[in-house]
Amino acid sequence: MNNHLLNTISKSLLLIVSTTSAYASPAFETLEGSASGIDFVHFNGMSGEYYFPEMMGGGVALFDYDGDGDEDIYLVQGAMLGPDKSAEDSLLPVPEQALIDRLYRNDGNLKFTDVTEQSGLRANGYGMGVTVGDIDNDGDPDLYLSNFGANQLWRNNGDGTFSDITAVAGVDDERWTVSSTFADYDGDGWLDLMVVNYVQYSFTNLKTCKAYSGAPDYCSPQSYKSTSDRLFRNQGDGTFVNVSNRVGIAAYEGPGLGVVARDFSGDGHMDFYVANDGAANFMWINDGNGSFTEQAMLWGVAVNMAGKPEASMGVDAIDYDHDGDEDLFMTHLDRQSNTLFVNQGTGWFVDRTVAMGLAGTSLPFTGFGVAWLDYDLDGQWDLFSANGAVVVIEQQRDAGDVYPLRQRNQLWRGTGDGFVEIGPDQVPALEHMAVSRGLALGDLDNDGDSDIVIGNSAGAPQLLINRAGDAQSWLGVDLRRDGVVAIGARVTIKDKTGKQRTQVVRRDGSYASALDPRLLFALEGMEPPYQLTVSERDKSVVIERQVDAVDRYHTIDIQRDK
Amino acid sequence: MTSTSMIDRALKSNVIGLALIVTLVACPLATALETVPEPRVDGLAEPVRSAINDARVAVEELEDGAQADLAAAYGVLGMIYHAHELMDAAASAYRNAEELAPYDARWSYLLGITAAEAGDMGTAERYFRESLTDNPGYIPTRIRLARVLLANGRLDAAEALFDYVLRDAPNNAACLDGKAQVLMERQQYAEAAELLRKALEIQPEADRLNYTLGQAYRALGENEKAQEHLSVIGTRDPLFMDPVFSQMRSYSRSAEQFMSVGHEAARNGDYPSAVRYFSRAIEIDPESAMARVSLMRALEAVGEIDLAEKQLDYVIEQGKENSLIHFNKGVMHEYRSEDDQARVRYRQALAMQPDLVEARILLANSLMRNGQAAEAVDHYGQLRAQSPDRLDYSFRYAMAQALAGRCVEAVEVMHEMVSKVPDDLETLNSYNRVVASCPAATATHKQNALNASRNLYSLSTAAYITETLAMAEAAAGNTDAAVEYQSQAIFSALSAGQQAQLPAMRALLERFRQGQTAQLPFDPESSAMKPPRLTPEQRR
């Protein structure tokens, strides 16, 4: 046997070993509730009437409510649904816990404690989603809860407790809200509130919908009249004023489910992108003078490449192609692919879903929560989608499932020139079948990679702990402005060769959920020393410094560390 | 020979040889068949249930028969399920058909379609490729396979298939569109625009292509052209001939079922689904005037006015028009501001069905817009007689009377309305206006109207209230007061941004200055005197 042949054989063996080890260690592992202390079970109050709201809730937030440096978990709860319905009518077991949203404190080592009682949070509406933002600039995050019914604003008192300030603040939108976002649209230093409303559904205007076979089924949003969204301006004194009419937002109605606030036009002002379910999406461009104009059709983000409006559910935006502007990804109904809109930086987006290999694999699934992440810290953006159907899957119903909308979730790995799906064969946690809705991304164990919490309708949440990033080098940034999370500011890491990666601080996106706002940078393929640059929304540089310590978070304050 | 059997023969002609070889070589005696699921069908119409039952019985009866016959029976069962959108059962039956007759390209083709419709593109590709192997000449397989490959981002492979078809059929709009989509993905916008323009020339009804063409122009910096095409929100894709698919569709036994679910979707406001279901009903029963009218209404609701009207024209061409057809045709004319033609249709509808209230309202409104108030009085009068509690009919009747120069009758009608709803300030304000513009009104009415106008003014100084007081003052001979209040009304309108009302208000002020009274209760161009045309949005 000659040396060449030996080399070939040994290389083949190495390949087999490395492939095997990759399969032996899945990228995500499910953390069971019994191990984590999270005993929450979402209850949707279904009684066989196919009420529309019962399959739409399941929001999740990751946020550090007690300022101890780790992400706590907030889970949105439902309630018994429908007039004259009681627990006896429920088709599913009613949880023993009181039916209110739950706050779990992160005690470290992936252990959590239910602190709802001592926090004073008594959110007992029929919950849909949750939004996080520091509305009073006191350094601790507050909560806005979107409901089927009146929404609520809970102020974080800074001592581990919360107070309901909805009435005083003036943000109690009564309409059906799923997602909302905090963003400083007018640049006055206070977070304003964009509330996206869905359809005009009530128990007095119920529609009876059926599958083609004649079996009862859930209605589509087209069965109900849409409604307009609301923008509340933060007046800086704990109150908000509804400026929807004044700024132009109220002029359009759409069945909104997802929303992100970013500077899509690159002019330094926060714009809003609203994902509408079964109707053209909205791109609200901020003119910087207190008005917004709806530009989605002209900007190429209203409908898909084929000109068809899609049932948009969740949405997330980051600069996926590192060209300095924010790109969009959104989830859709089955038989409609998810959509990747790439910002050209010229007031126009291109639908690159097919070209990037993201179309075909999403067609069998209905996606809701969604997030851009770099789960394996290889420097390429990946995607995760929380899935669950919205019309009855007959096979599941025929098998006796009373909530036959279950689907598995999906992960796509970015390769640099496209995406490939990572299936359950590689990540067994993806075999889990549930009616997933909310999805929140965050580093629960502070080990420098993105973990995922999925809110399941009528089920327990799924905690996916990231193992793919464990051996990778990283750099974390907790960016603040006077102690407050600096939403919209951007951080760039540049290595000695000039290679750079940029991210914008965000908390919104996904579906009905709020993300860990800390930024995680993969250092794979980069060479030290690393130069860190912080710039404001208008791209003016405010901080430049060399960072030597890696594999840890750096807290940087735009005001204090200038 | 029926068209179906001709298709069968054509499809099978080039695979018979292969079939014989397969049969001789493999000669499967026992084949692993799956149990075709029995989906819930209790909500389906009786003809559908019967068709499914008959097909299942046929399968059972042939279980011990010739393999080819059993394959055909399973195929028919699959097509019946497929035609009624029971996809899992359809796919199961097709799989058995394919197992029994692997040489018959139809079953793998239809399996590819069911997989593609379920979003399972990998399986769809496998079946389409199998089908192409068995029958390489069937063009729709190439088109559908190319679309699957396109969805999976395999642009070169998709393009090769589109090119293959275009070589022999350069005007195949579906392929031109497909190739354009590939070019769009490659960001070759000029070439894509060229193909899309051509596809639209060949099939102008494929209006969905406008968006893609608009995006191509946008990328090329041709913003005016882009705007033109982006403003067309189309829904229709280019069509291509597909005999196998048509054969499957022909098995639908349920025009009634499609009508039923279509009406339910429409009631729920889900008009896109309603369009789909009514279209299927028409495929089954093209002569159904009811299905055409239903489809027309659904198309109208999704903004497809031209296409909606084509449904009516079809029925009219067939000589099957009825009152609803005439009425809806009138509505279509009204949308296009063709009032004369609209009135002809409304009159035809009323001649066939005198109690068609909607036609009478729209006819009377149209007459008002055309200045034919005397005839409008007759129609509003009939409506009022039929529904004496409908205040809107009484109001329109009064306005028609006023416009026809019969203001005394108008005053009496308005007075009757005020008696019925004394707390309704809008009605009271209208009564005041009718009296103030009627010199022949009695002194009692005039005094009542003046007092009421002053009272309303004490509650609100909105422009239209203030103007009413000015009119009442003018009618009472108080010229200075009339001028003053009318000036105030103009100021209020200005402050409220009601620019459109200013010319008429200024003209009225001029009349008051000259000591004259108002001639009509409202501005002759206002919606009170000229009811606006119906719009698709209102009708929705």
Side-chain angles (χ1 to χ4, degrees):
Chain A
M1 193 180 288
N2 61 32
N3 284 344
H4 177 71
L5 187 56
L6 278 172
N7 277 341
T8 306
I9 291 171
S10 61
K11 277 181 184 170
S12 302
L13 285 171
L14 277 174
L15 186 65
I16 291 165
V17 169
S18 75
T19 307
T20 306
S21 64
Y23 280 76
S25 177
F28 288 94
E29 290 176 357
T30 299
L31 179 64
E32 299 298 336
S34 55
S36 66
I38 293 180
D39 52 357
F40 178 88
V41 177
H42 181 265
F43 178 70
N44 70 351
M46 62 189 291
S47 55
E49 304 285 351
Y50 292 86
Y51 291 135
F52 200 171
E54 72 193 28
M55 57 139 178
M56 298 300 285
V60 185
L62 296 186
F63 71 130
D64 183 9
Y65 89 98
D66 52 0
D68 65 351
D70 52 31
E71 296 296 296
D72 310 298
I73 301 178
Y74 188 90
L75 294 159
V76 175
Q77 184 57 288
M80 201 61 219
L81 197 58
D84 307 322
K85 297 288 184 191
S86 64
E88 289 77 49
D89 299 309
S90 174
L91 293 184
L92 296 167
V94 183
E96 290 176 9
Q97 289 177 325
L99 290 175
I100 56 174
D101 296 0
R102 292 277 155 186
L103 174 63
Y104 290 89
R105 186 184 63 219
N106 189 339
D107 296 328
N109 297 317
L110 296 172
K111 302 287 184 192
F112 296 84
T113 302
D114 185 344
V115 294
T116 313
E117 190 70 28
Q118 56 262 47
S119 73
L121 283 160
R122 298 290 298 172
N124 56 1
Y126 193 96
M128 288 284 141
V130 52
T131 307
V132 178
D134 187 352
I135 60 153
D136 45 9
N137 287 347
D138 63 354
D140 49 44
D142 309 297
L143 294 172
Y144 186 71
L145 307 179
S146 46
N147 291 326
F148 172 61
N151 298 334
Q152 295 180 322
L153 179 62
W154 289 82
R155 188 184 60 214
N156 189 332
N157 300 319
D159 59 359
T161 68
F162 289 78
S163 301
D164 182 354
I165 60 164
T166 314
V168 174
V171 288
D172 54 342
D173 197 326
E174 290 277 349
R175 292 172 296 178
W176 180 2
T177 309
V178 173
S179 294
S180 49
T181 181
F182 284 111
D184 179 12
Y185 84 90
D186 54 359
D188 65 354
W190 298 93
L191 284 178
D192 309 299
L193 175 63
M194 175 71 162
V195 176
V196 171
N197 293 307
Y198 193 37
V199 294
Q200 297 180 27
Y201 179 96
S202 80
F203 295 112
T204 57
N205 73 343
L206 288 176
K207 306 285 174 69
T208 305
C209 295
K210 290 177 180 170
Y212 178 74
S213 64
D217 210 333
Y218 292 101
C219 290
S220 79
Q222 279 70 45
S223 297
Y224 294 91
K225 194 171 183 320
S226 299
T227 186
S228 61
D229 304 324
R230 277 192 181 159
L231 180 62
F232 295 96
R233 182 176 169 274
N234 189 336
Q235 304 196 99
D237 58 358
T239 68
F240 290 74
V241 61
N242 180 357
V243 294
S244 318
N245 279 311
R246 192 194 314 163
V247 304
I249 298 275
Y252 286 71
E253 294 183 339
L257 285 181
V259 59
V260 283
R262 302 284 188 278
D263 177 14
F264 292 107
S265 61
D267 63 356
H269 305 295
M270 275 289 194
D271 310 304
F272 295 109
Y273 184 77
V274 178
N276 287 321
D277 183 4
N281 300 317
F282 297 148
M283 172 63 89
W284 289 107
I285 297 298
N286 185 343
D287 70 359
N289 294 312
S291 290
F292 288 81
T293 50
E294 206 290 294
Q295 297 279 353
M297 193 58 80
L298 193 60
W299 285 52
V301 289
V303 294
N304 70 7
M305 171 74 105
K308 294 177 180 171
E310 297 182 302
S312 301
M313 316 288 188
V315 58
D316 195 13
I318 50 101
D319 180 9
Y320 120 90
D321 53 359
H322 310 293
D323 66 349
D325 49 39
E326 303 289 308
D327 310 298
L328 286 159
F329 186 78
M330 65 205 67
T331 50
H332 292 123
L333 204 60
D334 61 348
R335 294 192 263 179
Q336 301 173 351
S337 76
N338 295 335
T339 302
L340 168 65
F341 284 123
V342 177
N343 194 337
Q344 304 297 291
T346 54
W348 188 50
F349 286 68
V350 175
D351 180 346
R352 301 290 288 158
T353 316
V354 169
M356 292 295 112
L358 286 164
T361 49
S362 65
L363 287 169
F365 301 95
T366 296
F368 277 82
V370 61
W372 287 101
L373 74 165
D374 181 3
Y375 78 95
D376 51 0
L377 292 173
D378 67 348
Q380 303 292 343
W381 285 106
D382 313 305
L383 284 159
F384 196 99
S385 164
N387 299 329
V390 293
V391 291
V392 166
I393 299 170
E394 295 202 359
Q395 283 174 325
Q396 292 179 15
R397 187 195 55 203
D398 294 346
D401 192 339
V402 295
Y403 198 33
L405 305 176
R406 296 173 207 281
Q407 294 182 328
R408 66 173 180 84
N409 299 322
Q410 289 179 285
L411 171 67
W412 292 270
R413 186 169 63 81
T415 61
D417 57 0
F419 292 82
V420 291
E421 187 184 3
I422 306 297
D425 54 331
Q426 293 174 68
V427 182
L430 294 171
E431 286 172 356
H432 184 64
M433 299 283 283
V435 187
S436 297
R437 295 296 185 247
L439 181 159
L441 194 69
D443 185 2
L444 290 173
D445 47 5
N446 281 342
D447 66 348
D449 51 35
S450 295
D451 309 304
I452 297 170
V453 181
I454 295 162
N456 292 320
S457 172
Q462 193 180 15
L463 271 65
L464 297 176
I465 305 305
N466 188 332
R467 298 301 179 208
D470 287 354
Q472 301 285 61
S473 193
W474 59 281
L475 194 152
V477 179
D478 184 359
L479 190 64
R480 308 261 167 166
R481 184 183 291 108
D482 257 346
V484 177
V485 171
I487 297 293
R490 63 182 60 220
V491 176
T492 300
I493 303 289
K494 188 192 273 187
D495 77 350
K496 69 180 274 192
T497 68
K499 182 182 282 184
Q500 62 181 47
R501 289 170 185 157
T502 299
Q503 292 185 47
V504 172
V505 179
R506 76 195 204 275
R507 242 178 173 143
D508 62 7
S510 189
Y511 171 88
S513 299
L515 323 180
D516 178 352
R518 296 174 299 173
L519 304 177
L520 280 171
F521 289 91
L523 298 178
E524 172 74 17
M526 298 181 90
E527 292 180 40
Y530 305 108
Q531 188 74 18
L532 182 150
T533 306
V534 177
S535 48
E536 290 284 15
R537 277 194 336 229
D538 63 3
K539 298 188 179 159
S540 60
V541 174
V542 284
I543 292 173
E544 276 187 299
R545 64 161 65 162
Q546 186 172 310
V547 181
D548 296 320
V550 298
D551 296 342
R552 53 158 285 199
Y553 283 99
H554 297 259
T555 300
I556 297 169
D557 196 298
I558 291 174
Q559 292 295 335
R560 297 169 195 168
D561 299 336
K562 258 184 187 172
Chain B
M1 182 181 286
T2 65
S3 59
T4 303
S5 59
M6 284 176 72
I7 292 162
D8 285 351
R9 205 173 70 165
L11 284 164
K12 289 175 181 173
S13 60
N14 57 355
V15 294
I16 292 291
L18 179 60
L20 285 171
I21 292 165
V22 169
T23 309
L24 288 170
V25 174
C27 196
L29 297 173
T31 309
L33 299 181
E34 58 185 273
T35 305
V36 177
E38 294 188 55
R40 185 174 164 176
V41 294
D42 51 318
L44 297 176
E46 203 286 322
V48 183
R49 294 202 305 271
S50 291
I52 290 171
N53 187 57
D54 292 349
R56 290 195 80 104
V57 168
V59 165
E60 282 167 20
E61 286 175 349
L62 288 165
E63 268 173 357
D64 298 324
Q67 195 160 306
D69 292 342
L70 183 58
Y74 269 117
V76 170
L77 178 62
M79 287 194 277
I80 290 173
Y81 277 133
H82 194 169
H84 298 97
E85 303 196 359
L86 298 162
M87 305 303 276
D88 290 344
S92 175
Y94 288 149
R95 279 193 295 272
N96 282 350
E98 201 213 13
E99 183 73 28
L100 291 160
Y103 50 84
D104 191 331
R106 284 179 302 173
W107 312 132
S108 45
Y109 176 64
L110 289 165
L111 276 165
I113 292 175
T114 56
E117 287 183 6
D120 183 355
M121 295 305 183
T123 304
E125 179 184 347
R126 181 164 59 82
Y127 281 124
F128 285 140
R129 286 199 185 282
E130 274 180 38
S131 185
L132 265 186
T133 304
D134 291 337
N135 186 357
Y138 195 58
I139 295 300
T141 316
R142 283 184 199 277
I143 295 175
R144 290 186 195 269
L145 174 59
R147 287 178 172 177
V148 164
L149 295 170
L150 177 58
N152 276 337
R154 289 158 63 188
L155 304 181
D156 292 344
E159 185 181 33
L161 285 162
F162 288 129
D163 282 342
Y164 182 95
V165 178
L166 287 168
R167 269 198 295 275
D168 291 331
N171 289 333
N172 185 313
C175 280
L176 289 168
D177 170 40
K179 170 133 184 171
Q181 296 286 348
V182 171
L183 295 170
M184 290 291 285
E185 294 296 339
R186 292 208 191 104
Q187 303 183 319
Q188 293 172 246
Y189 298 113
E191 295 90 335
E194 182 60 35
L195 294 182
L196 290 163
R197 269 196 303 266
K198 187 174 174 187
L200 267 170
E201 277 171 23
I202 296 162
Q203 274 191 35
E205 63 276 16
D207 51 7
R208 203 263 304 142
L209 302 182
N210 282 288
Y211 180 83
T212 318
L213 181 54
Q215 289 294 332
Y217 282 133
R218 187 90 166 82
L220 294 167
E222 297 184 49
N223 286 341
E224 243 175 64
K225 284 186 183 171
Q227 289 274 20
E228 180 192 328
H229 289 280
L230 290 175
S231 66
V232 181
I233 307 288
T235 55
R236 284 161 293 164
D237 288 310
L239 301 175
F240 57 93
M241 292 290 288
D242 187 349
V244 173
F245 193 75
S246 300
Q247 184 190 5
M248 179 275 290
R249 283 285 180 90
S250 74
Y251 278 99
S252 179
R253 293 289 174 273
S254 177
E256 299 91 342
Q257 177 69 16
F258 284 115
M259 288 295 287
S260 167
V261 291
H263 282 304
E264 186 149 351
R267 270 196 301 278
N268 289 332
D270 185 0
Y271 294 108
S273 295
V275 167
R276 191 159 61 92
Y277 290 131
F278 293 139
S279 300
R280 293 292 304 276
I282 288 170
E283 282 173 20
I284 299 161
D285 184 4
E287 307 303 316
S288 167
M290 184 55 73
R292 296 268 174 191
V293 171
S294 300
L295 177 61
M296 183 277 294
R297 290 299 309 272
L299 285 166
E300 195 188 351
V302 297
E304 296 277 2
I305 306 300
D306 292 344
L307 205 58
E309 190 164 13
K310 282 182 185 165
Q311 303 304 319
L312 296 178
D313 292 341
Y314 181 88
V315 180
I316 292 166
E317 282 167 20
Q318 302 295 311
K320 289 187 174 179
E321 60 265 46
N322 56 29
S323 58
L324 282 178
I325 299 290
H326 284 303
F327 167 67
N328 283 298
K329 186 75 183 169
V331 169
M332 297 293 138
H333 284 303
E334 185 160 336
Y335 287 161
R336 290 195 296 271
S337 305
E338 296 164 356
D339 282 347
D340 293 350
Q341 288 150 281
R343 285 195 297 278
V344 169
R345 289 291 179 180
Y346 296 147
R347 287 194 171 101
Q348 285 175 320
L350 286 168
M352 296 173 97
Q353 188 183 343
D355 63 350
L356 193 56
V357 171
E358 292 85 357
R360 200 171 293 286
I361 295 168
L362 292 183
L363 173 60
N365 289 350
S366 178
L367 290 166
M368 286 289 278
R369 285 195 298 277
N370 202 41
Q372 295 170 260
E375 193 184 344
V377 167
D378 291 341
H379 291 290
Y380 287 132
Q382 288 187 50
L383 290 166
R384 189 166 172 253
Q386 285 168 16
S387 307
D389 293 332
R390 287 283 300 262
L391 292 182
D392 52 340
Y393 294 164
S394 293
F395 176 78
R396 289 278 172 219
Y397 180 60
M399 293 307 113
Q401 294 276 24
L403 193 62
R406 304 176 198 161
C407 72
V408 175
E409 290 89 336
V411 167
E412 291 308 323
V413 173
M414 290 307 303
H415 184 247
E416 196 180 311
M417 285 174 66
V418 170
S419 308
K420 280 185 179 168
V421 285
D423 296 331
D424 186 328
L425 301 185
E426 290 287 341
T427 302
L428 182 60
N429 190 49
S430 298
Y431 162 75
N432 297 340
R433 284 175 165 263
V434 170
V435 173
S437 59
C438 183
T442 64
T444 309
H445 277 309
K446 283 182 178 169
Q447 192 57 49
N448 286 345
L450 182 59
N451 294 342
S453 299
R454 285 173 177 165
N455 287 340
L456 282 178
Y457 179 75
S458 70
L459 297 173
S460 167
T461 56
Y464 71 105
I465 299 283
T466 310
E467 185 177 76
T468 306
L469 178 56
M471 289 166 65
E473 295 286 4
N478 305 327
T479 301
D480 291 347
V483 169
E484 186 183 334
Y485 286 125
Q486 187 64 8
S487 302
Q488 271 185 35
I490 289 169
F491 182 76
S492 296
L494 265 173
S495 306
Q498 297 161 341
Q499 307 289 341
Q501 298 176 11
L502 293 176
M505 294 180 81
R506 288 190 176 121
L508 198 53
L509 175 64
E510 198 51 41
R511 285 186 67 85
F512 296 155
R513 282 190 176 130
Q514 292 168 13
Q516 296 172 327
T517 60
Q519 286 179 300
L520 285 171
F522 294 92
D523 170 10
E525 298 301 319
S526 69
S527 60
M529 307 309 293
K530 278 192 177 174
R533 289 187 185 91
L534 186 68
T535 66
E537 291 73 26
Q538 287 169 333
R539 201 163 189 230
R540 209 174 301 155

